[in-house]
Amino acid sequence: EFYETLALHFSKGNSTIKAVNYFIKSGEKSLKRYSIEESLDYFQKGYDLLGTIQDRTPEIEEMTIDLLNRWALVIYYKGTFNELAKLLLSYEHLVENMEDSEIKGMFITWQGFVSEFLGRYTEAEDLLMKAYKIGSRLNNQKMLGYACTWLTWVYCDLGKFKKGIEFGKKANKIGKIITDDPYIYFKSLSGIGWNYLLSLSESI
């Protein structure tokens, strides 16, 4: 209830990290209400505040990547994919040197997603399979769910419908488990539908 107030309170003091955390929470709270512009504003404030920190420790860099991962879903709903592509590209060098983790894997997953939406399907497949392998090693269901969801659509665009349906079913199964994030469930389900539809149309 008080995320926004706490974010503003800490941003006026010297508690930058606390302020960023509350701006992220405020952004996610607004997103749940589908207040996209409001959510974008909170994430932008958190991002700008992180940029004022001079000592770029590994912890600060990791926090920045985590913020981008969470912010990316809001930009996705806004539909400004070129903007998201530029933002991710500017931090790609940081992720390359990170150890495998959910934060690294989700960043790569978002890169794959953006590539798919920009029509770079082979690049998208490579990135999403990389994220899928990291998710498998870490047994991270969220990462696997998102990677499989978008691979469903990538394979649909590549005309590899059987693989699209296979990954769609994997994602949908995970979506039934991760009940606090409905995106994986409904997006994979619609992807499965498109794969079936286009595979039938090609056989006619």
Side-chain angles (χ1 to χ4, degrees):
E1 184 179 351
F2 301 106
Y3 288 159
E4 300 88 344
T5 303
L6 289 167
L8 292 172
H9 169 75
F10 286 119
S11 66
K12 291 177 181 178
N14 295 318
S15 303
T16 303
I17 300 300
K18 285 185 178 180
V20 171
N21 279 323
Y22 280 113
F23 274 126
I24 291 172
K25 290 179 184 295
S26 299
E28 291 182 328
K29 175 183 170 182
S30 296
L31 180 59
K32 287 180 179 179
R33 300 198 306 265
Y34 291 99
S35 300
I36 305 301
E37 294 297 336
E38 185 179 84
S39 182
L40 283 168
D41 182 58
Y42 285 128
F43 275 106
Q44 184 69 59
K45 286 176 178 176
Y47 175 76
D48 292 343
L49 201 55
L50 266 179
T52 65
I53 299 176
Q54 299 297 318
D55 186 13
R56 308 305 295 183
T57 64
E59 290 75 21
I60 294 300
E61 301 294 15
E62 187 174 277
M63 188 177 186
T64 302
I65 300 302
D66 186 44
L67 183 148
L68 291 176
N69 289 340
R70 298 171 189 274
W71 192 8
L73 187 59
V74 190
I75 299 173
Y76 159 79
Y77 283 123
K78 179 72 173 177
T80 50
F81 303 115
N82 284 312
E83 175 188 327
L84 181 55
K86 290 177 183 177
L87 192 61
L88 295 176
L89 183 62
S90 63
Y91 287 92
E92 186 178 44
H93 65 287
L94 295 180
V95 177
E96 289 174 354
N97 299 320
M98 288 175 62
E99 293 185 5
D100 287 352
S101 64
E102 180 179 304
I103 291 174
K104 177 179 180 177
M106 285 303 299
F107 184 90
I108 296 170
T109 305
W110 276 111
Q111 285 182 303
F113 163 82
V114 169
S115 296
E116 197 273 334
F117 257 83
L118 296 179
R120 303 195 293 260
Y121 304 130
T122 302
E123 178 182 290
E125 180 187 13
D126 291 341
L127 286 164
L128 290 169
M129 283 305 302
K130 182 178 179 181
Y132 177 79
K133 289 174 182 176
I134 294 173
S136 297
R137 286 197 297 271
L138 299 178
N139 192 27
N140 186 296
Q141 296 302 301
K142 178 182 177 181
M143 199 190 311
L144 287 170
Y146 272 90
C148 288
T149 295
W150 292 331
L151 280 167
T152 307
W153 290 89
V154 169
Y155 285 127
C156 184
D157 287 321
L158 289 171
K160 300 178 180 180
F161 305 121
K162 286 185 178 179
K163 293 193 77 171
I165 293 167
E166 174 191 340
F167 277 97
K169 288 180 177 179
K170 287 181 180 180
N172 201 247
K173 185 177 179 180
I174 294 170
K176 291 176 181 177
I177 299 170
I178 305 178
T179 55
D180 62 336
D181 189 350
Y183 180 87
I184 295 172
Y185 178 79
F186 73 74
K187 192 66 176 180
S188 62
L189 197 61
S190 58
I192 292 170
W194 272 105
N195 275 280
Y196 273 121
L197 178 63
L198 294 180
S199 65
L200 286 172
S201 65
E202 283 202 352
S203 65
I204 296 174

